Amino acid sequence: MKPGIGDEEIQNLVAERQQAKKDKNYGRADEIRGYLREKGVELADKAGGMTAWWRV
């Protein structure tokens, strides 16, 4: 079982990732995605800049 992560932390990291993508800092955006994946959270980028997430 993977160590958990709270909803608030996930939402904060998703917001940071969205800002990184807006700033064209794709390395940081990928880092955040990888960290969340390690914690058992998958992301899906949606139209309009939205990002959906769910636990796996």
Side-chain angles (χ1 to χ4, degrees):
M1 177 136 224
K2 295 175 182 150
I5 182 172
D7 289 0
E8 186 175 348
E9 184 177 358
I10 293 168
Q11 291 168 351
N12 289 340
L13 287 166
V14 167
E16 182 182 341
R17 181 175 174 271
Q18 287 172 329
Q19 185 61 51
K21 286 176 61 178
K22 184 178 175 184
D23 295 343
K24 299 184 191 286
N25 185 351
Y26 300 113
R28 178 63 183 144
D30 289 346
E31 240 177 53
I32 294 168
R33 180 186 286 273
Y35 173 78
L36 288 170
R37 184 170 284 143
E38 287 174 9
K39 297 296 184 181
V41 178
E42 287 294 328
L43 303 177
D45 295 322
K46 303 288 186 178
M50 299 298 296
T51 300
W53 62 269
W54 63 95
R55 296 175 192 281
V56 292

